[in-house]
Amino acid sequence: MRNHPYADLDLAREDLAAGLRAAARLGLHEGVCNHFSIALPDDRILINPQGLHWDEVTAGDMVVADMQGRRLEGRHPVEITAACIHSGIHRARADATCVLHTHMPYGTALTLLEGGRLAWSDQNSLRFYGRTAYDDDYQGVAFDGAEGDRMANALGKCDVLFLASHGVIVCGPTMAHAFDDLYYLERACMHQVLARSTGGRLRQVDAAVAARTAADIAAVREQSDLHFAALKRLLDRDSDGWRALD
């Protein structure tokens, strides 16, 4: 497991806490709900605890669970819907090291539209060209592990899943890459919602241009690492103690 990006549990705890704190700063959270997770070596998951606001969590608050979402280590419980959703996706997708689920405002707004889809209209949306899936069959609160399996099936090999009447799921190989996608997904959805509010028609970028743009953005993913490193520096500046492991 030497090549696993999170063979170091302390790094995983730090990245997960940083992602949660940064998401709260950007208004991507909702109450003490929603959840981020990281797949660890040896069929374990690191996930945020139930009941703590994302803007107060520390690295030491993160919970180690098994692939069924049952707590193995940590002083806090795991929220049941987090266990159901994230366990199903991690079991189905070994490449989805990080799974981020939010009810972020603009991304969720798109899921409320009949036939809502991310339009290939601007550069931010084009980074997701060929990477998005849609679950148009809302089944209620995920209190059953079968719901996580169903979502994993809808996600398929994509990195982004829009959940009808619910929210979004974003997957990635590291927290830096997954968080960067979450950030730009919300920006893309925001631009689309704002543009549609004018009553005008959205531009549609040519498919060949869209595919080339997606490939160009994928080729410079070091920007994701730089973005996440900058967010950590801002947390160090403004939020004493977020890295604490005890």
Side-chain angles (χ1 to χ4, degrees):
M1 289 300 193
R2 185 178 301 173
N3 294 325
H4 192 286
Y6 290 109
D8 182 342
L9 179 57
D10 287 351
L11 174 62
R13 292 181 185 278
E14 179 183 296
D15 274 9
L16 186 51
L20 293 161
R21 289 247 188 167
R25 280 172 161 244
L26 294 167
L28 307 182
H29 65 302
E30 186 169 70
V32 294
C33 303
N34 301 174
H35 6 86
F36 289 2
S37 63
I38 294 176
L40 302 170
D42 305 322
D43 294 327
R44 296 173 300 153
I45 302 169
L46 190 70
I47 198 162
N48 57 295
Q50 181 180 23
L52 296 186
H53 195 281
W54 290 9
D55 201 35
E56 69 173 327
V57 295
T58 67
D61 289 320
M62 302 302 108
V63 181
V64 178
D66 64 17
M67 275 294 175
Q68 284 68 49
R70 295 175 297 220
R71 181 176 59 177
L72 300 174
E73 300 176 27
R75 55 181 176 262
H76 304 288
V78 177
E79 200 267 321
I80 185 171
T81 62
C84 292
I85 293 172
H86 290 253
S87 296
I89 294 173
H90 282 301
R91 288 195 302 267
R93 288 280 302 274
D95 62 318
T97 305
C98 297
V99 176
L100 315 183
H101 170 52
T102 76
H103 301 166
M104 56 191 190
Y106 291 98
T108 301
L110 208 59
T111 76
L112 307 185
L113 298 172
E114 189 71 36
R117 295 293 186 266
L118 182 64
W120 311 123
S121 298
D122 75 320
Q123 185 165 288
N124 284 341
S125 66
L126 295 182
R127 73 187 285 139
F128 303 104
Y129 188 79
R131 302 172 58 207
T132 57
Y134 298 87
D135 174 14
D136 292 323
D137 186 21
Y138 178 67
Q139 291 292 311
V141 181
F143 285 156
D144 190 312
E147 181 65 1
D149 295 335
R150 191 186 69 79
M151 290 180 182
N153 185 62
L155 177 66
K157 296 182 178 180
C158 292
D159 301 316
V160 174
L161 178 63
F162 284 89
L163 302 164
S165 305
H166 185 175
V168 301
I169 292 173
V170 174
C171 303
T174 65
M175 184 57 68
H177 287 204
F179 188 90
D180 201 44
D181 275 348
L182 188 76
Y183 171 84
Y184 280 104
L185 182 66
E186 179 70 344
R187 298 288 291 186
C189 293
M190 179 183 74
H191 294 158
Q192 182 169 327
V193 169
L194 291 174
R196 291 186 65 165
S197 72
T198 69
R201 294 184 60 183
L202 291 175
R203 297 178 184 273
Q204 295 295 317
V205 175
D206 175 78
V209 175
R212 186 177 74 245
T213 302
D216 288 345
I217 293 173
V220 290
R221 284 310 299 260
E222 64 266 25
Q223 282 293 104
S224 300
D225 298 313
L226 294 171
H227 184 196
F228 199 61
L231 292 172
K232 282 186 172 183
R233 290 194 299 272
L234 293 177
L235 289 174
D236 285 336
R237 185 191 68 186
D238 302 331
S239 305
D240 289 342
W242 74 270
R243 294 180 188 261
L245 291 167
D246 51 16

